[in-house]
Amino acid sequence: MLDFEEELKRFRPSPEIGNVEDAIRKEDLTDMTDLMMELLRDKRELER
C-alpha cells in the first residue's frame, strides 16, 4: 500500500513545469470572451 505522506515528502516538482507556467502567464492569450466582445464591437460599428 502507498504511504501518501511519505510520497509527498519525496515529491519534487519538475523544473520544466515551472517554466511552462511562467510562459503561459506572460503570454497574452485571447479567450472566447475576448473574441465575442470583439465580434460585438465590430457588429455595432457596422450597424452605424
Side-chain angles (χ1 to χ4, degrees), residues 11-42:
F11 175 75
R12 299 291 177 257
S14 173
E16 292 87 10
I17 298 298
N19 295 341
V20 170
E21 288 174 345
D22 291 341
I24 290 171
R25 282 192 200 108
K26 291 178 184 174
E27 188 67 31
D28 183 24
L29 299 175
T30 302
D31 64 7
M32 288 302 292
T33 304
D34 296 332
L35 292 172
M36 291 300 295
M37 295 302 291
E38 186 175 335
L39 287 170
L40 288 171
R41 266 193 306 273
D42 291 348

Side-chain angles (χ1 to χ4, degrees), residues 1-22:
M1 177 148 270
L2 285 175
D3 181 0
F4 288 107
E5 294 300 320
E6 188 62 34
E7 292 295 324
L8 286 174
K9 288 178 191 174
R10 294 188 303 189
F11 175 75
R12 299 291 177 257
S14 173
E16 292 87 10
I17 298 298
N19 295 341
V20 170
E21 288 174 345
D22 291 341

